[in-house]
């Protein structure tokens, strides 16, 4: 019997218009009413999450920043957080900058973005308090939740592999979209955060269904008893998943919850 649903946001729970559809919202409310926990596990920072979840009252902590920050959803307070180690901030900016990537630097209050990124990719920055800077190193050494890097989709996965190799054991390097990499504390991942929450709620891994669509969801899907990839997921994710559901514009989360979460409760 499944007792917890761990769900990524963008590309998974949210449709292409960044909304939770009525069908999916109803299904999650039914799941919680039946006694299941719903854990949102997103790469977004806390201040960019609330608007898209305003219609969904959660009953469990929320994973943000790919696991760097865990929020108590009742009080909107931080219960656990791991910041980027200060000694690796400038080295990773230099290394990734050498690969023609453009940067943003996430602090507790603001997203600092390089001018070239802010003006060229403002669609990404629309929902967060952003400050543009000429040189991202100007923000250092402010405490950093994560560093984001934008690059061309056709070459970014190869660059990710290179940066993973260069910063093994020093930083967690992951890809959250075709054009975005992120750099965080080496012990950060959605899976590690989910493991912590599951222990607090006395839920075993085999009682968890996890949903995702991109590289930053891989560990979480492997950790869960049932790892579900979206129909729009990257091939890396589809390969490790136990099941592939419909796409995020076809209510794939709702379809899978109906198929698996309630099957033993009738």
């Amino acid at each position: 019997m499944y007792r917890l649903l761990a769900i990524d946001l963008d590309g998974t729970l949210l449709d292409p218009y960044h909304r939770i559809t009525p069908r999916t919202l109803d299904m999650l409310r039914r799941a919680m009413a039946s006694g299941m926990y719903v854990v949102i596990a997103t790469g977004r920072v806390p201040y960019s999450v609330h608007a898209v979840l305003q219609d969904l009252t959660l009953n469990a902590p929320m994973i943000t920043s790919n696991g760097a920050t865990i929020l108590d959803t009742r009080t909107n307070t931080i219960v656990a957080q791991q910041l980027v180690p200060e000694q690796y901030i400038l080295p990773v900016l230099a290394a990734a900058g050498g690969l023609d990537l453009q940067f943003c630097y996430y602090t507790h209050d603001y997203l600092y973005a390089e001018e070239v990124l802010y003006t060229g990719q403002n669609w990404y920055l629309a929902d967060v308090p952003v400050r543009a800077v000429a040189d991202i190193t100007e923000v250092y050494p402010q405490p950093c939740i994560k560093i984001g890097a934008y690059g061309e989709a056709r070459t970014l996965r190869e660059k990710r592999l290179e940066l993973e190799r260069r910063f093994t054991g020093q930083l967690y390097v992951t890809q959250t979209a075709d054009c975005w990499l992120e750099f965080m504390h080496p012990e950060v991942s959605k899976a590690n955060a989910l493991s912590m929450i599951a222990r607090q709620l006395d839920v075993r891994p085999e009682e968890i269904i996890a949903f995702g669509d991109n590289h930053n969801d891989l560990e979480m899907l492997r950790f869960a008893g049932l790892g579900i990839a979206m129909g729009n997921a990257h091939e890396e994710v589809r390969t490790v998943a136990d099941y592939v559901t419909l796409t995020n514009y076809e209510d794939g989360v709702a379809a899978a919850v109906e198929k698996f979460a309630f099957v033993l409760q009738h």
Side-chain angles (χ1 to χ4, degrees):
M1 181 175 176
Y2 295 110
R3 299 178 54 217
L4 188 152
L5 306 175
I7 313 171
D8 170 54
L9 275 184
D10 295 286
T12 302
L13 182 64
L14 303 182
D15 69 11
Y17 303 99
H18 306 291
R19 301 174 303 197
I20 305 176
T21 67
R23 179 189 174 194
T24 298
L25 188 62
D26 177 68
M27 194 63 65
L28 295 183
R29 287 171 174 165
R30 282 181 54 198
M32 287 187 285
S34 74
M36 279 183 274
Y37 296 107
V38 172
V39 173
I40 297 301
T42 178
R44 294 189 184 211
V45 287
Y47 44 75
S48 71
V49 172
H50 302 302
V52 298
L53 294 178
Q54 59 185 347
D55 295 325
L56 181 63
T57 301
L58 297 168
N59 62 355
M62 178 164 52
I63 298 166
T64 66
S65 302
N66 287 313
T69 304
I70 300 175
L71 292 180
D72 183 325
T73 55
R74 297 166 300 175
T75 61
N76 195 33
T77 56
I78 294 172
V79 296
Q81 186 170 69
Q82 293 176 298
L83 300 176
V84 178
E86 183 179 321
Q87 67 268 33
Y88 300 128
I89 293 176
L90 294 181
V92 76
L93 290 174
L99 296 175
D100 297 320
L101 302 183
Q102 302 165 5
F103 299 104
C104 47
Y105 189 119
Y106 295 80
T107 69
H108 288 291
D109 299 311
Y110 295 101
L111 164 58
Y112 293 87
E114 288 185 315
E115 288 277 5
V116 63
L117 177 59
Y118 179 77
T119 56
Q121 302 297 328
N122 200 42
W123 57 268
Y124 175 72
L125 310 174
D127 296 333
V128 299
V130 61
R131 291 184 172 182
V133 293
D135 183 349
I136 203 68
T137 60
E138 298 172 17
V139 187
Y140 177 84
Q142 287 195 47
C144 182
I145 299 172
K146 64 178 181 176
I147 295 169
Y150 174 86
E152 293 185 357
R154 63 183 179 83
T155 60
L156 197 61
R157 291 187 184 273
E158 290 75 14
K159 292 176 180 179
R160 184 197 82 211
L161 293 173
E162 168 64 14
L163 291 164
E164 284 179 338
R165 183 188 63 79
R166 292 176 67 174
F167 290 95
T168 299
Q170 299 174 345
L171 294 170
Y172 172 51
V173 182
T174 189
Q175 187 162 356
T176 59
D178 288 343
C179 297
W180 285 97
L181 297 184
E182 294 188 354
F183 307 90
M184 286 156 286
H185 188 284
E187 296 178 8
V188 162
S189 72
K190 291 184 180 182
N192 287 345
L194 180 58
S195 176
M196 180 185 302
I197 292 171
R199 288 195 300 271
Q200 293 173 352
L201 298 176
D202 194 26
V203 174
R204 301 188 304 274
E206 58 267 28
E207 296 175 312
I208 298 173
I209 304 176
F211 296 82
D213 74 302
N214 220 313
H215 178 262
N216 59 326
D217 299 311
L218 287 173
E219 297 97 333
M220 181 173 73
L221 267 60
R222 291 190 180 106
F223 172 78
L226 179 62
I228 298 180
M230 303 302 293
N232 51 285
H234 189 273
E235 187 60 31
E236 284 181 278
V237 183
R238 295 164 64 95
T239 299
V240 305
D242 300 304
Y243 179 79
V244 178
T245 187
L246 301 174
T247 65
N248 66 320
Y249 52 86
E250 298 173 302
D251 289 312
V253 169
V257 171
E258 187 169 37
K259 179 179 178 66
F260 294 106
F262 298 122
V263 66
L264 298 179
Q265 298 184 7
H266 296 310

